Amino acid sequence: MNVMVTGGAGYIGSHAVQRLLRDGHTVVCVDNLSRGHREPMDLLSDDRLTFAPGDLSDKSLLSRLLAGHEIDTIMHFAALTYVGESVQQPLAYYRNNTAGALNLLEAADAVGVERFVFSSTAATYGEPPPERIPIQEDCPQEPINPYGQSKLAVERILTDWASARRAAGRPVAFAALRYFNVAGCDRSGVLGEDHDPETHLIPVVLQACLGQREAVTMFGTDYPTPDGTCIRDYVHVEDLIDAHVHTMLALRPGDARRYNLGIGAGYSVRQIIDAVRAVTGVEFEVREGARRPGDPPSLFADPSRIRADLGWSAATRDVHEIVETAWKWFKAHPHGYAST
Ligand code: UFG
């Protein structure tokens, strides 16, 4: 297939580019490099990869690429993804995530792209009540921050677009993949996770192991969970991309699919810290801190819909294995891609 990957120079998008090339697809990657890195593009260099530096606001670039490369599928990863930042800069989130997706979709619609795989998020569920955990796809979507809102708006745009096209007798297909906590790095050791600033739990703890942070702070130890810390569903980035490929290959005209991508089990912050200690053998200081605003106590997926529909489930179920893949890359790249 001819696939456009937006945000393909970022953490998750670059893993998608790698997998699509391995599977023999042709890839056009669009990334404005505001959060992504040029290095993965160089590392993945291939005759079947075109890297087009550019922004989703540049509709003429998008139209040219879509038509010129006869794109049949879009995997749309490009987005701003920090919950806290979205509260401080909501307009930037709606512009990048919602208006950016709309621009892309208008360009895609005009040239007749028929498959759209969208990176959505568990943040669209907001703070589900305990009886809704594990979360199924029919859980009400009530985001509690602009990040989740900006992604939910795109899900709704896709739904309306698909309905209109179906009614017009020109059906298209889309999937909204709602990610839980994506973690780990590519097992061949080429691609990694390089955010600035880094706020995600596993990389933060690994940076403490490397001596780059004085200590790790657990944000809240008084939650109504077995050990008092928040519980999340950590899914390996390569498994997550495997779900994208399963979805892309299954999409048929008229499909409107919505899937949770997680392993279906939760780990607490303390359990993650213990797993990092066990994998790395490094001691580091752990502090008990205040709760981080907006963190729900427990959030994990019921991923049974995608298993039933497409036969996908996460191959890596042990968080130690996920941490090992990340540790391998962090040790080799203590300063991210700049170390290469
Ligand atoms: N945490 C700490 N200390 C840290 C960093 C994180 O205790 O230094 C805790 C957080 O409070 C949270 C857990 O570790 O309880 C996981 O936090 P992350 O920041 O790694 O991830 P989040 O669950 O906040 O966010 C992830 C994605 C978001 C997405 C959200 C959906 O990164 O993009 O899941 O719920 F919106």
Side-chain angles (χ1 to χ4, degrees), residues 81-83 121-124 126 145 147-148 179-182 199-205 213 216-220 223 229-232 234 269 273 291-292 295-297 299:
T81 60
Y82 293 115
V83 169
T121 169
T124 59
N145 50 60
Y147 170 62
Y179 305 170
F180 284 68
N181 291 59
V182 189
T199 61
H200 296 109
L201 181 62
I202 292 176
V204 161
V205 182
R213 288 176 190 261
V216 174
T217 303
M218 296 187 291
F219 298 146
Y223 282 101
T229 63
C230 286
I231 292 174
R232 294 287 181 275
Y234 295 85
V269 172
I273 289 172
R291 292 183 179 196
R292 189 172 66 177
D295 274 347
L299 212 51

mmCIF file of all heavy atoms in Angstrom, residues 81-83 121-124 126 145 147-148 179-182 199-205 213 216-220 223 229-232 234 269 273 291-292 295-297 299, ligand 1:
data_model
loop_
_atom_site.group_PDB
_atom_site.id
_atom_site.type_symbol
_atom_site.label_atom_id
_atom_site.label_comp_id
_atom_site.label_asym_id
_atom_site.label_seq_id
_atom_site.Cartn_x
_atom_site.Cartn_y
_atom_site.Cartn_z
ATOM 1 N N THR A 81 0.867 16.376 22.404
ATOM 2 C CA THR A 81 0.338 15.280 23.238
ATOM 3 C C THR A 81 0.517 15.447 24.750
ATOM 4 O O THR A 81 0.395 14.469 25.482
ATOM 5 C CB THR A 81 0.998 13.934 22.842
ATOM 6 O OG1 THR A 81 2.407 14.063 23.044
ATOM 7 C CG2 THR A 81 0.720 13.573 21.403
ATOM 8 N N TYR A 82 0.824 16.670 25.204
ATOM 9 C CA TYR A 82 0.992 16.824 26.658
ATOM 10 C C TYR A 82 -0.284 17.369 27.297
ATOM 11 O O TYR A 82 -0.725 18.483 26.970
ATOM 12 C CB TYR A 82 2.139 17.779 26.978
ATOM 13 C CG TYR A 82 3.503 17.262 26.588
ATOM 14 C CD1 TYR A 82 4.257 17.889 25.607
ATOM 15 C CD2 TYR A 82 4.039 16.142 27.214
ATOM 16 C CE1 TYR A 82 5.508 17.419 25.250
ATOM 17 C CE2 TYR A 82 5.290 15.663 26.861
ATOM 18 C CZ TYR A 82 6.016 16.306 25.882
ATOM 19 O OH TYR A 82 7.257 15.832 25.535
ATOM 20 N N VAL A 83 -0.832 16.588 28.202
ATOM 21 C CA VAL A 83 -2.077 16.988 28.848
ATOM 22 C C VAL A 83 -1.910 18.335 29.564
ATOM 23 O O VAL A 83 -2.718 19.247 29.392
ATOM 24 C CB VAL A 83 -2.536 15.897 29.847
ATOM 25 C CG1 VAL A 83 -3.664 16.405 30.717
ATOM 26 C CG2 VAL A 83 -2.959 14.645 29.086
ATOM 27 N N THR A 121 -6.992 8.669 21.761
ATOM 28 C CA THR A 121 -6.388 8.508 23.079
ATOM 29 C C THR A 121 -7.417 8.129 24.135
ATOM 30 O O THR A 121 -8.598 8.515 24.044
ATOM 31 C CB THR A 121 -5.690 9.823 23.506
ATOM 32 O OG1 THR A 121 -5.332 9.745 24.890
ATOM 33 C CG2 THR A 121 -6.602 11.029 23.336
ATOM 34 N N ALA A 122 -6.936 7.433 25.149
ATOM 35 C CA ALA A 122 -7.774 7.120 26.304
ATOM 36 C C ALA A 122 -8.181 8.396 27.026
ATOM 37 O O ALA A 122 -9.145 8.391 27.805
ATOM 38 C CB ALA A 122 -7.015 6.201 27.258
ATOM 39 N N ALA A 123 -7.462 9.494 26.744
ATOM 40 C CA ALA A 123 -7.829 10.773 27.375
ATOM 41 C C ALA A 123 -9.204 11.247 26.909
ATOM 42 O O ALA A 123 -9.784 12.135 27.524
ATOM 43 C CB ALA A 123 -6.770 11.832 27.074
ATOM 44 N N THR A 124 -9.743 10.654 25.839
ATOM 45 C CA THR A 124 -11.099 11.047 25.416
ATOM 46 C C THR A 124 -12.155 10.527 26.406
ATOM 47 O O THR A 124 -13.288 10.989 26.383
ATOM 48 C CB THR A 124 -11.450 10.524 24.003
ATOM 49 O OG1 THR A 124 -11.359 9.101 24.004
ATOM 50 C CG2 THR A 124 -10.537 11.102 22.944
ATOM 51 N N GLY A 126 -11.906 10.764 29.685
ATOM 52 C CA GLY A 126 -11.953 11.603 30.881
ATOM 53 C C GLY A 126 -11.678 10.796 32.135
ATOM 54 O O GLY A 126 -10.685 10.057 32.199
ATOM 55 N N ASN A 145 -9.676 17.488 29.651
ATOM 56 C CA ASN A 145 -8.633 18.465 29.302
ATOM 57 C C ASN A 145 -8.685 18.745 27.794
ATOM 58 O O ASN A 145 -9.244 17.953 27.031
ATOM 59 C CB ASN A 145 -7.240 17.954 29.729
ATOM 60 C CG ASN A 145 -7.001 16.539 29.245
ATOM 61 O OD1 ASN A 145 -7.029 16.278 28.050
ATOM 62 N ND2 ASN A 145 -6.787 15.620 30.185
ATOM 63 N N TYR A 147 -6.472 18.506 25.545
ATOM 64 C CA TYR A 147 -5.850 17.462 24.716
ATOM 65 C C TYR A 147 -6.895 16.416 24.312
ATOM 66 O O TYR A 147 -7.083 16.126 23.122
ATOM 67 C CB TYR A 147 -4.688 16.804 25.481
ATOM 68 C CG TYR A 147 -4.163 15.569 24.801
ATOM 69 C CD1 TYR A 147 -3.601 15.641 23.528
ATOM 70 C CD2 TYR A 147 -4.235 14.314 25.413
ATOM 71 C CE1 TYR A 147 -3.134 14.499 22.894
ATOM 72 C CE2 TYR A 147 -3.776 13.179 24.795
ATOM 73 C CZ TYR A 147 -3.229 13.270 23.526
ATOM 74 O OH TYR A 147 -2.780 12.137 22.894
ATOM 75 N N GLY A 148 -7.602 15.884 25.313
ATOM 76 C CA GLY A 148 -8.634 14.877 25.028
ATOM 77 C C GLY A 148 -9.742 15.452 24.155
ATOM 78 O O GLY A 148 -10.231 14.795 23.229
ATOM 79 N N TYR A 179 -5.319 5.078 22.317
ATOM 80 C CA TYR A 179 -4.129 4.539 22.996
ATOM 81 C C TYR A 179 -4.236 4.706 24.504
ATOM 82 O O TYR A 179 -4.639 5.755 24.998
ATOM 83 C CB TYR A 179 -2.863 5.300 22.596
ATOM 84 C CG TYR A 179 -2.541 5.412 21.136
ATOM 85 C CD1 TYR A 179 -1.521 6.283 20.739
ATOM 86 C CD2 TYR A 179 -3.200 4.689 20.164
ATOM 87 C CE1 TYR A 179 -1.183 6.420 19.408
ATOM 88 C CE2 TYR A 179 -2.868 4.820 18.825
ATOM 89 C CZ TYR A 179 -1.869 5.690 18.450
ATOM 90 O OH TYR A 179 -1.520 5.836 17.137
ATOM 91 N N PHE A 180 -3.726 3.713 25.203
ATOM 92 C CA PHE A 180 -3.486 3.864 26.641
ATOM 93 C C PHE A 180 -2.026 4.323 26.795
ATOM 94 O O PHE A 180 -1.611 5.220 26.087
ATOM 95 C CB PHE A 180 -3.923 2.592 27.376
ATOM 96 C CG PHE A 180 -5.430 2.551 27.488
ATOM 97 C CD1 PHE A 180 -6.220 2.375 26.347
ATOM 98 C CD2 PHE A 180 -6.072 2.805 28.680
ATOM 99 C CE1 PHE A 180 -7.613 2.432 26.408
ATOM 100 C CE2 PHE A 180 -7.463 2.862 28.759
ATOM 101 C CZ PHE A 180 -8.227 2.682 27.622
ATOM 102 N N ASN A 181 -1.227 3.743 27.671
ATOM 103 C CA ASN A 181 0.121 4.296 27.886
ATOM 104 C C ASN A 181 1.147 3.569 27.020
ATOM 105 O O ASN A 181 1.509 2.428 27.320
ATOM 106 C CB ASN A 181 0.485 4.218 29.363
ATOM 107 C CG ASN A 181 -0.345 5.176 30.187
ATOM 108 O OD1 ASN A 181 -1.575 5.090 30.190
ATOM 109 N ND2 ASN A 181 0.295 6.098 30.864
ATOM 110 N N VAL A 182 1.595 4.236 26.003
ATOM 111 C CA VAL A 182 2.519 3.621 25.054
ATOM 112 C C VAL A 182 3.935 3.701 25.627
ATOM 113 O O VAL A 182 4.345 4.758 26.126
ATOM 114 C CB VAL A 182 2.451 4.335 23.697
ATOM 115 C CG1 VAL A 182 3.243 3.569 22.652
ATOM 116 C CG2 VAL A 182 0.998 4.516 23.270
ATOM 117 N N THR A 199 8.068 13.692 30.313
ATOM 118 C CA THR A 199 7.175 13.656 31.473
ATOM 119 C C THR A 199 6.630 12.255 31.724
ATOM 120 O O THR A 199 6.033 12.004 32.769
ATOM 121 C CB THR A 199 5.961 14.601 31.268
ATOM 122 O OG1 THR A 199 5.239 14.156 30.114
ATOM 123 C CG2 THR A 199 6.394 16.039 31.070
ATOM 124 N N HIS A 200 6.792 11.341 30.769
ATOM 125 C CA HIS A 200 6.194 10.009 30.909
ATOM 126 C C HIS A 200 6.960 9.164 31.917
ATOM 127 O O HIS A 200 8.186 9.229 32.000
ATOM 128 C CB HIS A 200 6.161 9.298 29.557
ATOM 129 C CG HIS A 200 5.296 9.998 28.562
ATOM 130 N ND1 HIS A 200 5.795 10.678 27.485
ATOM 131 C CD2 HIS A 200 3.960 10.152 28.512
ATOM 132 C CE1 HIS A 200 4.800 11.211 26.810
ATOM 133 N NE2 HIS A 200 3.670 10.913 27.408
ATOM 134 N N LEU A 201 6.207 8.359 32.639
ATOM 135 C CA LEU A 201 6.774 7.681 33.807
ATOM 136 C C LEU A 201 8.012 6.823 33.490
ATOM 137 O O LEU A 201 9.058 6.998 34.126
ATOM 138 C CB LEU A 201 5.688 6.822 34.483
ATOM 139 C CG LEU A 201 6.156 6.074 35.729
ATOM 140 C CD1 LEU A 201 6.602 7.038 36.823
ATOM 141 C CD2 LEU A 201 5.044 5.156 36.248
ATOM 142 N N ILE A 202 7.901 5.900 32.538
ATOM 143 C CA ILE A 202 9.028 4.967 32.329
ATOM 144 C C ILE A 202 10.303 5.706 31.901
ATOM 145 O O ILE A 202 11.364 5.531 32.516
ATOM 146 C CB ILE A 202 8.625 3.812 31.376
ATOM 147 C CG1 ILE A 202 7.582 2.930 32.088
ATOM 148 C CG2 ILE A 202 9.846 3.001 30.928
ATOM 149 C CD1 ILE A 202 7.010 1.794 31.247
ATOM 150 N N PRO A 203 10.245 6.599 30.884
ATOM 151 C CA PRO A 203 11.479 7.326 30.559
ATOM 152 C C PRO A 203 12.005 8.199 31.693
ATOM 153 O O PRO A 203 13.221 8.309 31.878
ATOM 154 C CB PRO A 203 11.090 8.197 29.363
ATOM 155 C CG PRO A 203 9.722 7.847 28.982
ATOM 156 C CD PRO A 203 9.163 6.831 29.919
ATOM 157 N N VAL A 204 11.091 8.776 32.477
ATOM 158 C CA VAL A 204 11.543 9.596 33.609
ATOM 159 C C VAL A 204 12.338 8.726 34.585
ATOM 160 O O VAL A 204 13.423 9.101 35.058
ATOM 161 C CB VAL A 204 10.325 10.252 34.313
ATOM 162 C CG1 VAL A 204 10.682 10.710 35.709
ATOM 163 C CG2 VAL A 204 9.808 11.429 33.484
ATOM 164 N N VAL A 205 11.841 7.529 34.874
ATOM 165 C CA VAL A 205 12.539 6.655 35.828
ATOM 166 C C VAL A 205 13.874 6.199 35.227
ATOM 167 O O VAL A 205 14.898 6.128 35.929
ATOM 168 C CB VAL A 205 11.648 5.463 36.242
ATOM 169 C CG1 VAL A 205 12.367 4.600 37.265
ATOM 170 C CG2 VAL A 205 10.306 5.944 36.809
ATOM 171 N N ARG A 213 18.477 12.589 36.635
ATOM 172 C CA ARG A 213 17.510 13.187 37.564
ATOM 173 C C ARG A 213 17.924 12.778 38.956
ATOM 174 O O ARG A 213 18.329 11.625 39.184
ATOM 175 C CB ARG A 213 16.099 12.656 37.306
ATOM 176 C CG ARG A 213 15.490 13.188 36.050
ATOM 177 C CD ARG A 213 14.139 12.547 35.801
ATOM 178 N NE ARG A 213 13.673 12.893 34.463
ATOM 179 C CZ ARG A 213 12.795 13.856 34.193
ATOM 180 N NH1 ARG A 213 12.224 14.513 35.181
ATOM 181 N NH2 ARG A 213 12.446 14.129 32.960
ATOM 182 N N VAL A 216 13.030 10.279 41.534
ATOM 183 C CA VAL A 216 11.729 10.122 40.869
ATOM 184 C C VAL A 216 10.664 10.482 41.898
ATOM 185 O O VAL A 216 10.731 10.022 43.043
ATOM 186 C CB VAL A 216 11.519 8.663 40.423
ATOM 187 C CG1 VAL A 216 10.108 8.471 39.875
ATOM 188 C CG2 VAL A 216 12.564 8.268 39.397
ATOM 189 N N THR A 217 9.714 11.306 41.483
ATOM 190 C CA THR A 217 8.618 11.649 42.399
ATOM 191 C C THR A 217 7.366 10.906 41.977
ATOM 192 O O THR A 217 6.982 10.945 40.805
ATOM 193 C CB THR A 217 8.355 13.167 42.381
ATOM 194 O OG1 THR A 217 9.577 13.825 42.730
ATOM 195 C CG2 THR A 217 7.269 13.557 43.371
ATOM 196 N N MET A 218 6.765 10.199 42.943
ATOM 197 C CA MET A 218 5.483 9.543 42.661
ATOM 198 C C MET A 218 4.392 10.582 42.892
ATOM 199 O O MET A 218 4.261 11.111 44.016
ATOM 200 C CB MET A 218 5.267 8.349 43.589
ATOM 201 C CG MET A 218 6.291 7.248 43.370
ATOM 202 S SD MET A 218 5.914 5.771 44.318
ATOM 203 C CE MET A 218 6.207 6.340 45.984
ATOM 204 N N PHE A 219 3.627 10.853 41.845
ATOM 205 C CA PHE A 219 2.589 11.888 41.943
ATOM 206 C C PHE A 219 1.337 11.314 42.616
ATOM 207 O O PHE A 219 0.421 10.858 41.940
ATOM 208 C CB PHE A 219 2.255 12.445 40.559
ATOM 209 C CG PHE A 219 3.405 13.119 39.865
ATOM 210 C CD1 PHE A 219 3.547 13.042 38.481
ATOM 211 C CD2 PHE A 219 4.362 13.845 40.578
ATOM 212 C CE1 PHE A 219 4.599 13.676 37.820
ATOM 213 C CE2 PHE A 219 5.415 14.486 39.931
ATOM 214 C CZ PHE A 219 5.541 14.393 38.555
ATOM 215 N N GLY A 220 1.323 11.339 43.936
ATOM 216 C CA GLY A 220 0.157 10.874 44.694
ATOM 217 C C GLY A 220 0.337 9.446 45.176
ATOM 218 O O GLY A 220 0.609 8.545 44.372
ATOM 219 N N TYR A 223 -4.126 7.426 46.530
ATOM 220 C CA TYR A 223 -5.248 7.087 45.646
ATOM 221 C C TYR A 223 -5.950 5.832 46.165
ATOM 222 O O TYR A 223 -5.325 4.995 46.847
ATOM 223 C CB TYR A 223 -4.741 6.840 44.211
ATOM 224 C CG TYR A 223 -4.440 8.105 43.445
ATOM 225 C CD1 TYR A 223 -3.127 8.556 43.293
ATOM 226 C CD2 TYR A 223 -5.466 8.841 42.862
ATOM 227 C CE1 TYR A 223 -2.859 9.714 42.575
ATOM 228 C CE2 TYR A 223 -5.198 10.006 42.151
ATOM 229 C CZ TYR A 223 -3.897 10.435 42.011
ATOM 230 O OH TYR A 223 -3.637 11.584 41.304
ATOM 231 N N THR A 229 -0.953 4.279 44.587
ATOM 232 C CA THR A 229 -0.485 5.039 43.414
ATOM 233 C C THR A 229 -1.362 4.704 42.194
ATOM 234 O O THR A 229 -2.067 3.691 42.188
ATOM 235 C CB THR A 229 1.008 4.753 43.101
ATOM 236 O OG1 THR A 229 1.168 3.364 42.756
ATOM 237 C CG2 THR A 229 1.894 5.090 44.292
ATOM 238 N N CYS A 230 -1.255 5.550 41.183
ATOM 239 C CA CYS A 230 -2.135 5.415 40.009
ATOM 240 C C CYS A 230 -1.822 4.168 39.190
ATOM 241 O O CYS A 230 -0.655 3.773 39.045
ATOM 242 C CB CYS A 230 -1.953 6.616 39.082
ATOM 243 S SG CYS A 230 -2.702 8.106 39.697
ATOM 244 N N ILE A 231 -2.866 3.634 38.630
ATOM 245 C CA ILE A 231 -2.743 2.426 37.804
ATOM 246 C C ILE A 231 -2.989 2.784 36.337
ATOM 247 O O ILE A 231 -3.945 3.489 36.009
ATOM 248 C CB ILE A 231 -3.743 1.366 38.290
ATOM 249 C CG1 ILE A 231 -3.312 0.888 39.679
ATOM 250 C CG2 ILE A 231 -3.861 0.209 37.299
ATOM 251 C CD1 ILE A 231 -4.278 -0.051 40.340
ATOM 252 N N ARG A 232 -2.091 2.285 35.462
ATOM 253 C CA ARG A 232 -2.208 2.547 34.026
ATOM 254 C C ARG A 232 -1.951 1.256 33.246
ATOM 255 O O ARG A 232 -1.357 0.307 33.759
ATOM 256 C CB ARG A 232 -1.175 3.599 33.572
ATOM 257 C CG ARG A 232 -1.398 4.990 34.158
ATOM 258 C CD ARG A 232 -2.587 5.683 33.530
ATOM 259 N NE ARG A 232 -2.799 7.020 34.067
ATOM 260 C CZ ARG A 232 -3.481 7.298 35.178
ATOM 261 N NH1 ARG A 232 -4.027 6.313 35.890
ATOM 262 N NH2 ARG A 232 -3.636 8.545 35.581
ATOM 263 N N TYR A 234 0.100 -0.198 30.251
ATOM 264 C CA TYR A 234 1.292 0.094 29.443
ATOM 265 C C TYR A 234 1.377 -0.893 28.288
ATOM 266 O O TYR A 234 1.467 -2.101 28.499
ATOM 267 C CB TYR A 234 2.558 0.028 30.317
ATOM 268 C CG TYR A 234 2.554 1.104 31.383
ATOM 269 C CD1 TYR A 234 1.904 0.901 32.605
ATOM 270 C CD2 TYR A 234 3.134 2.349 31.157
ATOM 271 C CE1 TYR A 234 1.860 1.899 33.581
ATOM 272 C CE2 TYR A 234 3.098 3.359 32.118
ATOM 273 C CZ TYR A 234 2.456 3.122 33.322
ATOM 274 O OH TYR A 234 2.411 4.114 34.278
ATOM 275 N N VAL A 269 2.135 2.922 39.719
ATOM 276 C CA VAL A 269 3.401 3.662 39.627
ATOM 277 C C VAL A 269 4.482 2.931 40.427
ATOM 278 O O VAL A 269 5.622 2.757 39.965
ATOM 279 C CB VAL A 269 3.215 5.115 40.120
ATOM 280 C CG1 VAL A 269 4.551 5.842 40.222
ATOM 281 C CG2 VAL A 269 2.274 5.885 39.185
ATOM 282 N N ILE A 273 8.081 1.387 39.054
ATOM 283 C CA ILE A 273 9.382 1.725 39.650
ATOM 284 C C ILE A 273 10.120 0.449 40.055
ATOM 285 O O ILE A 273 11.319 0.288 39.784
ATOM 286 C CB ILE A 273 9.179 2.695 40.839
ATOM 287 C CG1 ILE A 273 8.750 4.070 40.289
ATOM 288 C CG2 ILE A 273 10.440 2.808 41.699
ATOM 289 C CD1 ILE A 273 8.331 5.077 41.347
ATOM 290 N N ARG A 291 -0.452 14.756 44.332
ATOM 291 C CA ARG A 291 -1.132 14.298 43.126
ATOM 292 C C ARG A 291 -0.922 15.287 41.991
ATOM 293 O O ARG A 291 -0.814 16.493 42.232
ATOM 294 C CB ARG A 291 -2.640 14.192 43.374
ATOM 295 C CG ARG A 291 -3.022 13.087 44.331
ATOM 296 C CD ARG A 291 -4.536 13.041 44.441
ATOM 297 N NE ARG A 291 -4.982 11.976 45.333
ATOM 298 C CZ ARG A 291 -6.231 11.518 45.384
ATOM 299 N NH1 ARG A 291 -7.153 12.056 44.609
ATOM 300 N NH2 ARG A 291 -6.568 10.545 46.207
ATOM 301 N N ARG A 292 -0.867 14.783 40.759
ATOM 302 C CA ARG A 292 -0.785 15.661 39.589
ATOM 303 C C ARG A 292 -2.220 15.935 39.132
ATOM 304 O O ARG A 292 -2.984 14.986 38.908
ATOM 305 C CB ARG A 292 0.000 14.941 38.483
ATOM 306 C CG ARG A 292 0.348 15.792 37.298
ATOM 307 C CD ARG A 292 1.296 15.079 36.334
ATOM 308 N NE ARG A 292 0.693 13.918 35.693
ATOM 309 C CZ ARG A 292 1.298 13.166 34.778
ATOM 310 N NH1 ARG A 292 2.543 13.430 34.425
ATOM 311 N NH2 ARG A 292 0.697 12.137 34.232
ATOM 312 N N ASP A 295 -5.088 13.539 36.966
ATOM 313 C CA ASP A 295 -4.757 12.116 36.865
ATOM 314 C C ASP A 295 -5.882 11.256 37.447
ATOM 315 O O ASP A 295 -6.127 11.289 38.658
ATOM 316 C CB ASP A 295 -3.479 11.802 37.661
ATOM 317 C CG ASP A 295 -2.215 12.036 36.856
ATOM 318 O OD1 ASP A 295 -2.312 12.204 35.627
ATOM 319 O OD2 ASP A 295 -1.130 12.033 37.470
ATOM 320 N N PRO A 296 -6.572 10.453 36.632
ATOM 321 C CA PRO A 296 -7.544 9.525 37.204
ATOM 322 C C PRO A 296 -6.807 8.406 37.956
ATOM 323 O O PRO A 296 -5.707 8.026 37.554
ATOM 324 C CB PRO A 296 -8.267 8.951 35.988
ATOM 325 C CG PRO A 296 -7.721 9.649 34.788
ATOM 326 C CD PRO A 296 -6.474 10.367 35.187
ATOM 327 N N PRO A 297 -7.388 7.871 39.044
ATOM 328 C CA PRO A 297 -6.694 6.855 39.846
ATOM 329 C C PRO A 297 -6.330 5.613 39.036
ATOM 330 O O PRO A 297 -5.223 5.106 39.126
ATOM 331 C CB PRO A 297 -7.701 6.482 40.942
ATOM 332 C CG PRO A 297 -8.739 7.549 40.933
ATOM 333 C CD PRO A 297 -8.696 8.230 39.607
ATOM 334 N N LEU A 299 -6.793 3.563 35.186
ATOM 335 C CA LEU A 299 -7.222 3.650 33.794
ATOM 336 C C LEU A 299 -6.619 2.475 33.050
ATOM 337 O O LEU A 299 -5.412 2.433 32.839
ATOM 338 C CB LEU A 299 -6.678 4.962 33.218
ATOM 339 C CG LEU A 299 -7.445 5.721 32.151
ATOM 340 C CD1 LEU A 299 -8.891 5.950 32.538
ATOM 341 C CD2 LEU A 299 -6.760 7.044 31.865
HETATM 342 N N1 UFG B 1 3.915 9.708 37.178
HETATM 343 C C1 UFG B 1 4.607 9.868 38.368
HETATM 344 N N2 UFG B 1 5.807 10.502 38.329
HETATM 345 C C2 UFG B 1 6.351 10.998 37.184
HETATM 346 C C3 UFG B 1 5.638 10.827 35.965
HETATM 347 C C4 UFG B 1 4.422 10.185 36.009
HETATM 348 O O1 UFG B 1 4.149 9.453 39.423
HETATM 349 O O2 UFG B 1 7.448 11.584 37.228
HETATM 350 C C5 UFG B 1 2.630 8.995 37.201
HETATM 351 C C6 UFG B 1 1.481 9.844 36.709
HETATM 352 O O3 UFG B 1 0.958 10.638 37.741
HETATM 353 C C7 UFG B 1 0.511 8.766 36.207
HETATM 354 C C8 UFG B 1 1.437 7.654 35.717
HETATM 355 O O4 UFG B 1 2.699 7.912 36.318
HETATM 356 O O5 UFG B 1 -0.234 8.289 37.273
HETATM 357 C C9 UFG B 1 1.603 7.654 34.221
HETATM 358 O O6 UFG B 1 1.912 8.970 33.811
HETATM 359 P P1 UFG B 1 2.411 9.346 32.345
HETATM 360 O O7 UFG B 1 2.702 10.797 32.352
HETATM 361 O O8 UFG B 1 3.499 8.414 31.922
HETATM 362 O O9 UFG B 1 1.156 9.019 31.413
HETATM 363 P P2 UFG B 1 -0.365 9.493 31.570
HETATM 364 O O10 UFG B 1 -1.145 8.313 32.055
HETATM 365 O O11 UFG B 1 -0.513 10.749 32.301
HETATM 366 O O12 UFG B 1 -0.710 9.848 30.050
HETATM 367 C C10 UFG B 1 -0.821 8.883 29.029
HETATM 368 C C11 UFG B 1 -0.384 9.504 27.720
HETATM 369 C C12 UFG B 1 -1.279 10.670 27.385
HETATM 370 C C13 UFG B 1 -2.713 10.198 27.362
HETATM 371 C C14 UFG B 1 -3.070 9.503 28.644
HETATM 372 C C15 UFG B 1 -4.405 8.862 28.500
HETATM 373 O O13 UFG B 1 0.942 9.934 27.819
HETATM 374 O O14 UFG B 1 -0.933 11.175 26.104
HETATM 375 O O15 UFG B 1 -2.140 8.462 28.932
HETATM 376 O O16 UFG B 1 -4.905 8.604 29.754
HETATM 377 F F1 UFG B 1 -3.536 11.256 27.224
#
